[in-house]
Amino acid sequence: MIDLEIIRDARKRISSHILSTPLVHSPSLSHVCGTTVGLKLEHHQTTGSFKLRGATNAILQLTEADRARGVIAVSTGNHGRALSYAARAVGSRATICMSRLVPENKVSEIRHLGADVRIIGGSQDEAQQEVDRLVANGLVMVPPFDHPDIVAGQGTIGLEIVEAVPNVATVIVGLSGGGLAAGVAAAVKGMRPCAKVVGVTMERGAAMKASLDAGKPVQVEEFPSLADALGGGIGLDNKLTFPMCRALLDDVVLLTDSEIAAGIRHAYEQEREIVEGAGAVGIAALLARKVAGLRGPVVLVLSGRNIDIELHRRVINGVKNPLGEMV
């Protein structure tokens, strides 16, 4: 388990390298829910997602020798961008392995940061095989979620939430490999044990939900989704985020792509925020009234903004199948 002390240490380490993002009141969602709702604007983070927190915390704890060897990771896009940025900042170089499901806009942004990009297979699990091969050849792996430095870095969001809303009752956060959800839950419950933390993910290919239901990590088939950043497996040898999510999450909510699209539209039309599908799942869960026993104050983590702008335009315009031939 990652505890409050470890997360506080991570905040001291990364504070000069990341943004402490705003937490703002949402009148529209407060009206929908009948209680106070706040938005943690983590999509305003440098590199456009929360991932920079964990990647920076991990990079800063590598030895000079390890930085010189270069770092490598599998990614659905946002971790790769964050790791590439953090590596470049300390004079290291990143190699990022991704599947064909990763949107091209995320791939190109990683290339612009000077990373060696490798597109491997049709799933994150297949891309991980290339990571394993290159680690055996000397590169240093910085995984996207199942690592104590990553979880602790993401957990700094939870510290900021409770400091901004000391009486927070419900925190809603996107759920994929579990780095964000586990870190935020550890911080929030460490400071406010009575608070409820809810993970939200897409209906098809939800690896952590399937694993929690099975009582152990399992593999799932990956599908294209508006919440592409939530895709991928959790690893059959998952050592940290699975047990933490099992112990700390109070519920997991599943969403259809139509519900996620509604969340993206609401963010744009009512909150004046551009968010990607994974960043909109908290809004979507509230709009779909899928959070059972909702108590306020509520805080949603808007986790990322790195959506292809043409895809965003199709969603906002109400295109019935915005993913087109991908679906």
Side-chain angles (χ1 to χ4, degrees):
M1 286 288 192
I2 300 301
D3 61 23
L4 202 53
E5 182 179 357
I6 295 171
I7 296 171
R8 285 175 170 152
D9 285 343
R11 178 160 68 172
K12 293 175 186 176
R13 189 176 299 113
I14 70 176
S15 61
S16 63
H17 301 269
I18 60 101
L19 301 177
S20 178
T21 53
L23 198 159
V24 301
H25 176 63
S26 170
S28 63
L29 290 171
S30 298
H31 177 73
V32 168
C33 298
T35 189
T36 301
V37 177
L39 307 176
K40 179 63 170 168
L41 306 183
E42 194 59 22
H43 63 303
H44 289 187
Q45 188 61 253
T46 308
T47 75
S49 85
F50 72 94
K51 289 285 192 177
L52 187 62
R53 295 175 184 256
T56 299
N57 191 43
I59 284 283
L60 291 178
Q61 296 186 82
L62 293 179
T63 65
E64 288 297 331
D66 282 345
R67 292 179 190 177
R69 289 161 59 191
V71 295
I72 187 170
V74 69
S75 178
T76 54
N78 287 338
H79 176 64
R81 185 172 178 177
L83 185 62
S84 301
Y85 181 95
R88 189 172 71 171
V90 299
S92 186
R93 180 174 170 83
T95 298
I96 308 299
C97 299
M98 295 173 282
S99 81
R100 292 188 299 271
L101 292 181
V102 177
E104 178 55 36
N105 69 298
K106 292 186 175 182
V107 175
S108 64
E109 288 294 340
I110 293 170
R111 286 199 174 101
H112 288 161
L113 289 167
D116 176 11
V117 172
R118 305 193 178 200
I119 307 300
I120 308 292
S123 72
Q124 183 168 269
D125 290 333
E126 290 178 24
Q128 179 64 46
Q129 295 172 13
E130 178 70 358
V131 172
D132 295 339
R133 185 184 72 81
L134 293 172
V135 167
N137 289 339
L139 294 183
V140 178
M141 182 164 63
V142 181
F145 50 85
D146 195 35
H147 189 285
D149 296 340
I150 298 294
V151 174
Q154 321 307 24
T156 61
I157 298 170
L159 300 181
E160 294 175 15
I161 288 173
V162 178
E163 288 167 359
V165 187
N167 62 334
V168 64
T170 306
V171 176
I172 303 177
V173 62
L175 177 63
S176 179
L180 176 64
V184 168
V188 169
K189 288 178 178 283
M191 299 173 74
R192 187 164 168 75
C194 62
K196 181 178 179 180
V197 180
V198 178
V200 187
T201 190
M202 67 283 194
E203 195 173 63
R204 300 196 307 163
M208 184 62 80
K209 178 64 164 70
S211 298
L212 292 172
D213 289 345
K216 62 180 181 180
V218 297
Q219 283 185 309
V220 298
E221 184 179 355
E222 291 185 41
F223 299 93
S225 171
L226 280 176
D228 56 85
L230 300 183
I234 69 167
L236 295 180
D237 61 345
N238 186 294
K239 296 178 176 60
L240 185 61
T241 59
F242 172 74
M244 288 186 70
C245 286
R246 181 173 56 186
L248 296 173
L249 291 184
D250 295 282
D251 197 9
V252 175
V253 171
L254 299 180
L255 297 172
T256 66
D257 261 12
S258 294
E259 289 166 337
I260 295 168
I264 295 172
R265 282 194 294 272
H266 181 97
Y268 183 73
E269 294 170 354
Q270 301 296 324
E271 314 297 342
R272 299 297 188 260
E273 300 288 347
I274 294 177
V275 294
E276 60 186 284
V281 294
I283 294 175
L286 292 184
L287 294 178
R289 303 188 184 278
K290 285 191 169 181
V291 181
L294 185 68
R295 294 184 296 115
V298 178
V299 174
L300 315 179
V301 178
L302 274 56
S303 58
R305 67 167 184 254
N306 298 322
I307 187 171
D308 175 81
I309 202 64
E310 179 55 36
L311 173 60
H312 186 267
R313 186 177 296 112
R314 293 198 296 271
V315 172
I316 298 306
N317 288 337
V319 175
K320 187 173 182 180
N321 180 11
L323 288 175
E325 68 279 0
M326 291 178 62
V327 175

